Amino acid sequence: MSKDMILVTTPLLPDLDEYYQMLREIWDRKWVTNNGEFHQKFEAALCEYLKVPYISLFTNGTLPLITALQALNISGEVITTPYSFVATTHSLWWNGIKPVFVDIDPATGGIDPERIESAITPKTTAIMPVHVYGKPCRTREIQDIADKYGLKVIYDAAHAFGIEVDGNSILNEGDMSTLSFHGTKVFGTTEGGALVVHDAKMKQRIDYLKNFGFAGETEVVAPGINGKMDELRSAMGLLNLRQVDAAIEARHQVAIRYREALRPVEGIDFWDDMPGVRHNYGYFPIFVDASKYGMTRDELFYKLREHRILARRYFYPLISDFSTYRGLPSATRENLPNATRMADTVICLPIHHELKEKDIDRIINCIKH
Ligand code: T4K
């Protein structure tokens, strides 16, 4: 990879000396996983930082989705969005659940609550929305529908670390929310993830499920999986928590620069911050209107590549266009016009805590000229 390549993101890594000190402790204790000391401290610290009552740590952001569905006994059909990373829908498939795709609200990128009711059938048991790019879904309307039809709501909040609406964590919405701590995220532990739940009993059940179903040395209460986070990643999480606010602020500054520079560019659209929302600036999507910009999304995408700028087309193709899912009745482009348009016009520009001024200038100049 050439030295002046600009990547879409870079991982948040702790100071190596501080991390080494923690590794030293792990080596001394010789306790490497299964609810170790750092694991317990990390769960407690995350609850406090994220303003949520109970968290269960996982080894990635996909297993909490699969486990949430198991814990809530979800079956039949689940209403979800095609505009996400493929793990969202895969979690349904792994549970033998039929995904039913509903179109998105172009103002948020999240599922459009006004289209949910017409997709409900007697087999529907839950809704799985995604706070895509960390933009909050229309949670109140989604909850009203769920309450009316007796459905569970599991939020894929993989992008929503630290997102608050009017001072309240978005992670407290619905029945459960999942997080991803993958290295490409605002807050990461190399691989990692979590499930946010609202009561101690459910936290206990999740902890059994992510440990093969063990409830004590000789009792297995459910066919659980191995989703446990280890001590090395928990230690990294504890250290990264100390610097995540600074990282989010650095990303915020990048977003401000992009917005200032790109606002006058015809045919390049983007979102501003939502009132009352604490954003995390995990992604900076722009939407290319070819008729006004004079170039298609893909032409701009490949032009950026030529200039060694590795932007990404998150989330193109739509999940509903992948071979596993495209045969589903809800997977048609006619059913999903807004999602199709967004997937066909989006480019996520590089944004991270270490992005340099000169690199931001290079990206802006490439888009402007
Ligand atoms: N739900 C949603 C809505 C999600 O977005 C995701 C994951 C999940 C669920 C599942 O959570 P996990 O099980 O993954 O925890 C990435 C990530 O692998 C994935 O975690 C993420 N979403 C998805 C949106 O993006 P890629 O295919 O973009 O990864 P990759 O390897 O191409 O990396 C992108 C760029 O990041 C590279 O060009 C450079 C940079 N990078 C990447 C890595 C891995 C680094 O600088 N260092 C690194 O170590 O999928």
Side-chain angles (χ1 to χ4, degrees):
M1 195 175 296
S2 87
K3 255 184 142 182
D4 65 345
M5 193 78 86
I6 306 177
L7 301 176
V8 72
T9 188
T10 198
L12 184 65
L13 291 170
D15 176 84
L16 199 49
D17 290 334
E18 284 186 281
Y19 191 48
Y20 177 76
Q21 293 306 318
M22 294 182 88
L23 292 181
R24 186 81 260 169
E25 282 188 50
I26 298 170
W27 260 242
D28 288 345
R29 277 199 290 272
K30 297 194 191 305
W31 191 270
V32 293
T33 184
N34 288 16
N35 201 27
E37 195 172 318
F38 286 147
H39 183 283
Q40 290 173 29
K41 285 185 176 160
F42 185 31
E43 275 192 351
L46 268 175
C47 282
E48 196 181 327
Y49 180 90
L50 295 170
K51 301 182 186 168
V52 299
Y54 298 98
I55 275 192
S56 206
L57 290 171
F58 276 79
T59 193
N60 59 47
T62 303
L63 282 168
L65 287 166
I66 292 173
T67 307
L69 293 160
Q70 286 279 323
L72 295 169
N73 291 317
I74 305 299
S75 60
E77 296 178 2
V78 168
I79 290 174
T80 190
T81 165
Y83 194 79
S84 180
F85 188 61
V86 73
T88 312
T89 314
H90 280 353
S91 72
L92 301 173
W93 208 257
W94 275 67
N95 278 288
I97 294 163
K98 183 178 173 187
V100 175
F101 296 113
V102 162
D103 204 11
I104 57 166
D105 170 3
T108 65
I111 198 163
D112 184 349
E114 283 160 40
R115 293 172 193 250
I116 291 177
E117 274 194 273
S118 59
I120 294 173
T121 75
K123 290 184 181 158
T124 310
T125 53
I127 308 170
M128 184 179 274
V130 180
H131 302 296
V132 72
Y133 310 130
K135 273 182 91 72
C137 290
R138 288 158 58 185
T139 52
R140 193 172 311 153
E141 290 157 86
I142 292 169
Q143 195 60 54
D144 285 348
I145 297 166
D147 291 344
K148 186 168 161 191
Y149 291 89
L151 307 176
K152 300 288 184 193
V153 183
I154 299 166
Y155 281 101
D156 181 339
H159 303 173
F161 186 91
I163 302 293
E164 292 177 12
V165 181
D166 299 327
N168 301 313
S169 171
I170 194 84
L171 302 171
N172 287 320
E173 299 291 339
D175 292 279
M176 294 187 190
S177 292
T178 67
L179 287 163
S180 164
F181 305 148
H182 185 260
T184 54
K185 298 288 188 290
V186 170
F187 173 87
T189 57
T190 68
E191 294 275 357
L195 189 48
V196 176
V197 298
H198 307 324
D199 64 82
K201 260 172 105 176
M202 186 53 88
K203 151 95 172 134
Q204 181 64 264
R205 180 158 170 74
I206 301 294
D207 285 348
Y208 293 153
L209 283 174
K210 74 171 188 191
N211 186 23
F212 310 98
F214 274 109
E217 206 175 308
T218 53
E219 198 187 5
V220 169
V221 292
I225 193 121
N226 182 1
K228 292 171 274 109
M229 179 179 274
D230 60 64
E231 286 292 274
L232 282 76
R233 294 183 204 176
S234 301
M236 183 176 286
L238 276 167
L239 290 177
N240 273 346
L241 261 189
R242 296 186 199 157
Q243 54 168 352
V244 68
D245 282 341
I248 289 174
E249 183 48 33
R251 287 169 170 271
H252 183 196
Q253 293 307 316
V254 178
I256 289 172
R257 290 270 290 112
Y258 278 143
R259 285 177 185 147
E260 270 169 16
L262 298 179
R263 205 172 296 282
V265 182
E266 259 225 276
I268 298 292
D269 213 353
F270 51 83
W271 286 312
D272 284 303
D273 286 353
M274 293 162 81
V277 174
R278 181 197 187 233
H279 291 278
N280 67 18
Y281 310 97
Y283 298 83
F284 194 88
I286 61 168
F287 307 99
V288 184
D289 180 340
S291 64
K292 291 188 189 147
Y293 182 63
M295 222 184 228
T296 64
R297 185 277 306 272
D298 284 344
E299 283 167 343
L300 175 58
F301 174 73
Y302 287 112
K303 183 183 158 195
L304 289 163
R305 290 231 142 170
E306 270 171 41
H307 288 79
R308 299 171 304 289
I309 299 164
L310 293 190
R312 292 293 288 264
R313 288 168 292 183
Y314 300 129
F315 288 99
Y316 165 85
L318 290 177
I319 300 175
S320 47
D321 282 339
F322 290 125
S323 57
T324 315
Y325 304 112
R326 65 176 167 237
L328 291 168
S330 62
T332 63
R333 296 195 141 216
E334 295 69 41
N335 185 44
L336 307 165
N338 294 327
T340 301
R341 197 170 314 111
M342 202 168 278
D344 287 347
T345 57
V346 71
I347 299 181
C348 284
L349 297 182
I351 187 164
H352 56 80
H353 60 292
E354 289 173 345
L355 197 59
K356 296 184 182 74
E357 279 289 320
K358 68 172 176 43
D359 289 339
I360 302 172
D361 288 341
R362 245 176 74 196
I363 297 161
I364 289 167
N365 286 336
C366 189
I367 296 170
K368 276 184 161 176
H369 303 297

